[in-house]
Amino acid sequence: LHRRLLYSASMADHEHEHPTQPTESVHDHHQDGPEVATAVLNTLDAQGLRMTGPRKALVAALVDKRAAFTAEDMVQAVPEVGRATVFRTIKLLVDSGLVCRLSQVDGRPLYSLSHQGHHHHALCQRCGAVLDIYRCGIDTMLENIELSTGARVLGHRLEVFVLCANCVAAGG
Amino acid sequence: LHRRLLYSASMADHEHEHPTQPTESVHDHHQDGPEVATAVLNTLDAQGLRMTGPRKALVAALVDKRAAFTAEDMVQAVPEVGRATVFRTIKLLVDSGLVCRLSQVDGRPLYSLSHQGHHHHALCQRCGAVLDIYRCGIDTMLENIELSTGARVLGHRLEVFVLCANCVAAGG
DNA sequence: ATCCATGCAAACCCTTTGCAGTCCA
DNA sequence: TGGACTGCAAAGGGTTTGCATGGAT
């Protein structure tokens, strides 16, 4: 699960037209846990937030997750931390940009560690792995919506539901 | 709100490469109410479902809506229908493909009348108008994700949050 | 007449809040 | 020490369910 994938397939015939626009890139979602945990805690510290026991435990637990998780997952992963604190901490991390909220097919929220510059996610429906999608390629479309309709685009969200390569190999 | 917009801007320089791939198209979300209501009821009938009073009332109400609506909106729009029936009927319409579920920025569900062939929505954050987005242009990206990662794409959801032209004109 | 569909109310799930006590800075 | 943080438990909202009644075919 530590491989990193750079996507650059089959858009070559477009590149002479948009030489400065890179193609999409994708990589999966796991890095070296302790380092990430330290980075997360440093960020919290820089925001003047307290490094409490429950917060450290929660950060350690979510950094250890290799997949998107629900609030309930966290409640169970760190039973010594109260339910309310789990919710409060997740919200705090989301507001700090350290964790991002994504949504399941049925709309229920999932969370995953946030990686710089990514906007979208491909979520494995079997194992919960999250592939980040960089440069989703819809900016042009959004601009065109503005041009053709007069609407102003404020934001967008793209969720992609997949079976990751591992799960395809495991038989779906 | 009855205008229909066909998008075809600024992708011309791509078309010689994908002559068969149309550009995105967008139109807003309202049609002639009674006709749509009849069509919806016919579809329910064709599925062997009963044409009860509550169902007719709910279909009439939602066809009359010019914007996306919540379940609660429906409860209040048709106070003579029980709360549970509203939820059950919305689910039924979603399962029949007549209504589609979309999601607000915060993830709470909204619903809107479903139009054939559309996959995505631009939702006005001020008035709730829904612009359908046809040919969202991300299919190519999804194929490329498959090629580069070995994942299998099962589905995707794109939500675009906008201020529609009317609301821009009204001062945001 | 037969079931499907409805209404009511309770149950349910997930999340938030109030408040007294705790612990980091 | 003070104020941010926590835990508990209760409240909250949105949605679903059980069950007896009602209504469409």
Side-chain angles (χ1 to χ4, degrees):
Chain A
L1 259 164
H2 286 258
R3 86 203 117 85
R4 169 177 291 258
L5 300 164
L6 277 184
Y7 165 70
S8 64
S10 88
M11 295 285 283
D13 57 352
H14 283 257
E15 288 178 353
H16 68 281
E17 297 188 339
H18 292 288
T20 61
Q21 181 178 352
T23 56
E24 297 85 353
S25 67
V26 177
H27 72 77
D28 82 5
H29 217 233
H30 204 251
Q31 300 179 356
D32 313 286
E35 295 177 16
V36 175
T38 301
V40 169
L41 292 172
N42 285 343
T43 301
L44 293 184
D45 193 36
Q47 299 185 358
L49 298 167
R50 291 186 177 173
M51 304 269 276
T52 65
R55 284 179 184 171
K56 290 180 199 165
L58 283 167
V59 168
L62 71 86
V63 159
D64 197 47
K65 290 242 171 245
R66 317 235 159 170
F69 53 90
T70 63
E72 185 61 30
D73 289 337
M74 278 295 119
V75 169
Q76 295 183 5
V78 192
E80 69 271 22
V81 175
R83 187 170 208 79
T85 298
V86 171
F87 280 90
R88 284 189 278 233
T89 303
I90 289 176
K91 173 174 289 188
L92 179 149
L93 292 167
V94 169
D95 291 346
S96 300
L98 292 164
V99 160
C100 54
R101 185 198 310 264
L102 44 135
S103 68
Q104 183 58 271
V105 175
D106 61 11
R108 284 180 304 183
L110 290 177
Y111 303 92
S112 77
L113 252 186
S114 189
H115 296 135
Q116 59 174 6
H118 89 262
H119 294 301
H120 303 295
H121 312 89
L123 177 65
C124 181
Q125 300 301 103
R126 183 171 175 273
C127 73
V130 176
L131 309 181
D132 291 342
I133 303 173
Y134 293 88
R135 303 178 196 102
C136 64
I138 64 176
D139 292 342
T140 300
M141 180 197 70
L142 298 179
E143 290 167 16
N144 290 332
I145 289 173
E146 292 194 334
L147 289 173
S148 63
T149 66
R152 181 182 306 151
V153 173
L154 303 176
H156 64 280
R157 179 169 51 215
L158 173 66
E159 306 280 357
V160 180
F161 306 107
V162 304
L163 285 177
C164 73
N166 288 340
C167 290
V168 170
Chain B
L1 260 162
H2 285 257
R3 84 202 119 83
R4 171 176 291 257
L5 300 163
L6 274 185
Y7 164 71
S8 64
S10 91
M11 292 285 284
D13 58 352
H14 280 257
E15 287 178 355
H16 69 281
E17 296 187 343
H18 291 290
T20 59
Q21 182 176 353
T23 57
E24 297 85 353
S25 66
V26 178
H27 71 76
D28 81 5
H29 216 234
H30 205 251
Q31 300 179 356
D32 313 286
E35 295 176 17
V36 176
T38 302
V40 169
L41 293 174
N42 284 345
T43 302
L44 294 183
D45 191 36
Q47 298 184 0
L49 297 168
R50 292 184 178 173
M51 304 269 276
T52 65
R55 284 178 183 172
K56 288 179 200 167
L58 283 167
V59 168
L62 71 85
V63 158
D64 198 47
K65 291 242 171 245
R66 316 231 159 174
F69 54 88
T70 63
E72 186 60 29
D73 289 337
M74 278 294 119
V75 169
Q76 295 183 4
V78 192
E80 70 271 21
V81 175
R83 188 172 209 79
T85 298
V86 170
F87 280 90
R88 284 189 277 231
T89 304
I90 289 176
K91 173 173 289 185
L92 178 150
L93 291 167
V94 170
D95 291 345
S96 300
L98 293 164
V99 161
C100 54
R101 186 195 312 260
L102 43 135
S103 68
Q104 185 56 274
V105 174
D106 61 10
R108 283 180 305 183
L110 290 177
Y111 303 92
S112 76
L113 253 186
S114 190
H115 296 135
Q116 59 173 4
H118 90 261
H119 293 304
H120 305 298
H121 312 89
L123 177 65
C124 181
Q125 299 302 101
R126 182 171 175 273
C127 74
V130 176
L131 310 181
D132 291 344
I133 303 172
Y134 292 88
R135 302 179 197 101
C136 66
I138 63 177
D139 292 344
T140 300
M141 180 197 71
L142 299 179
E143 289 168 17
N144 290 332
I145 289 173
E146 293 194 333
L147 289 172
S148 63
T149 68
R152 181 182 307 151
V153 173
L154 302 175
H156 64 281
R157 178 168 52 214
L158 173 66
E159 305 279 359
V160 180
F161 305 107
V162 304
L163 285 177
C164 72
N166 288 341
C167 290
V168 169

